[in-house]
């Protein structure tokens, strides 16, 4: 990825970065990814590894493996590159990639967005994209579990 980033910088391409678990891809994810892509030339998605998700979300997660999640994400036209990371946050990845634009959903407070200070110190910007109400992987899983319990 570092070689690719170097080439993109030499070509003057604006690189956008976002990250997440993307465990069950839904309309909210696609909305965020399409909006993020419009902010630059290339969209890089940092994808939490399976072990990272287990530490963050707990037992029973992820629903799908990192390979399966990466496969589905690679099918989204807006996504140019996917990098799987094993840490709990993408801080090391953001430091290495040095994106021009860092994107998160509006459910994140700007000051709590990991990597914000790095991106802004390099002259980049942080963009919070409005989330679509009613679309979250956690809420989908809760609905499914409730449905399973219904006779």
């Amino acid at each position: 990825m570092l070689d690719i980033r170097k080439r993109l910088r030499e070509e003057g391409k604006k690189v956008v970065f976002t990250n997440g678990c993307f465990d069950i891809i839904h309309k909210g994810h696609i909305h965020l990814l399409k909006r993020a892509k419009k902010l630059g030339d290339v969209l890089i998605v940092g994808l939490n590894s399976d072990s990272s998700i287990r530490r963050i979300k707990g037992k029973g997660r992820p629903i799908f493996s990192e390979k399966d999640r990466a496969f589905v994400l690679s099918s989204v036209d807006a996504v140019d590159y996917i990098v799987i990371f094993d840490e709990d946050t993408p801080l090391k990845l953001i430091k290495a990639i040095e994106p021009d634009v860092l994107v998160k959903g509006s459910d994140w407070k700007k000051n709590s967005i990991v990597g914000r200070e790095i991106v802004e110190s390099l002259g980049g910007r942080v963009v919070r994209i409005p989330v679509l109400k009613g679309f979250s992987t956690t809420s989908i899983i809760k609905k499914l579990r409730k449905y399973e319990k219904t006779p």
Side-chain angles (χ1 to χ4, degrees), residues 18-74:
T18 193
N19 69 282
C21 299
F22 298 97
D23 198 3
I24 298 175
I25 302 286
H26 52 72
K27 183 179 179 178
H29 288 133
I30 302 303
H31 169 78
L32 181 128
L33 295 168
K34 287 181 176 252
R35 294 275 306 268
K37 173 65 177 213
K38 289 179 180 179
L39 298 170
D41 302 306
V42 176
L43 176 60
I44 300 172
V45 176
L47 181 63
N48 288 77
S49 69
D50 293 346
S51 59
S52 167
I53 292 176
R54 275 191 290 279
R55 288 191 303 273
I56 296 166
K57 303 283 187 180
K59 189 176 180 178
R61 298 285 299 274
I63 302 297
F64 294 105
S65 73
E66 61 196 42
K67 288 182 181 179
D68 290 341
R69 291 180 287 117
F71 178 83
V72 173
L73 270 177
S74 72

Side-chain angles (χ1 to χ4, degrees), residues 2-141:
L2 295 179
D3 290 338
I4 292 169
R5 177 59 174 120
K6 181 181 176 187
R7 178 180 50 80
L8 293 171
R9 187 175 282 119
E10 289 168 355
E11 293 173 0
K13 302 282 185 183
K14 183 185 278 190
V15 172
V16 180
F17 177 87
T18 193
N19 69 282
C21 299
F22 298 97
D23 198 3
I24 298 175
I25 302 286
H26 52 72
K27 183 179 179 178
H29 288 133
I30 302 303
H31 169 78
L32 181 128
L33 295 168
K34 287 181 176 252
R35 294 275 306 268
K37 173 65 177 213
K38 289 179 180 179
L39 298 170
D41 302 306
V42 176
L43 176 60
I44 300 172
V45 176
L47 181 63
N48 288 77
S49 69
D50 293 346
S51 59
S52 167
I53 292 176
R54 275 191 290 279
R55 288 191 303 273
I56 296 166
K57 303 283 187 180
K59 189 176 180 178
R61 298 285 299 274
I63 302 297
F64 294 105
S65 73
E66 61 196 42
K67 288 182 181 179
D68 290 341
R69 291 180 287 117
F71 178 83
V72 173
L73 270 177
S74 72
S75 300
V76 177
D77 290 341
V79 176
D80 295 298
Y81 297 99
I82 301 163
V83 181
I84 298 173
F85 64 96
D86 196 41
E87 297 78 22
D88 291 352
T89 74
L91 186 61
K92 285 173 58 176
L93 190 52
I94 292 168
K95 282 182 182 177
I97 293 173
E98 298 181 343
D100 301 296
V101 182
L102 176 59
V103 172
K104 289 298 284 182
S106 61
D107 52 335
W108 286 82
K109 290 184 174 32
K110 188 169 182 178
N111 289 339
S112 67
I113 296 174
V114 172
R116 176 189 60 82
E117 293 174 345
I118 293 166
V119 172
E120 289 178 344
S121 74
L122 296 168
R125 64 188 182 123
V126 176
V127 176
R128 296 168 56 243
I129 294 185
V131 296
L132 296 182
K133 292 186 188 222
F135 291 95
S136 80
T137 301
T138 301
S139 68
I140 291 169
I141 291 170

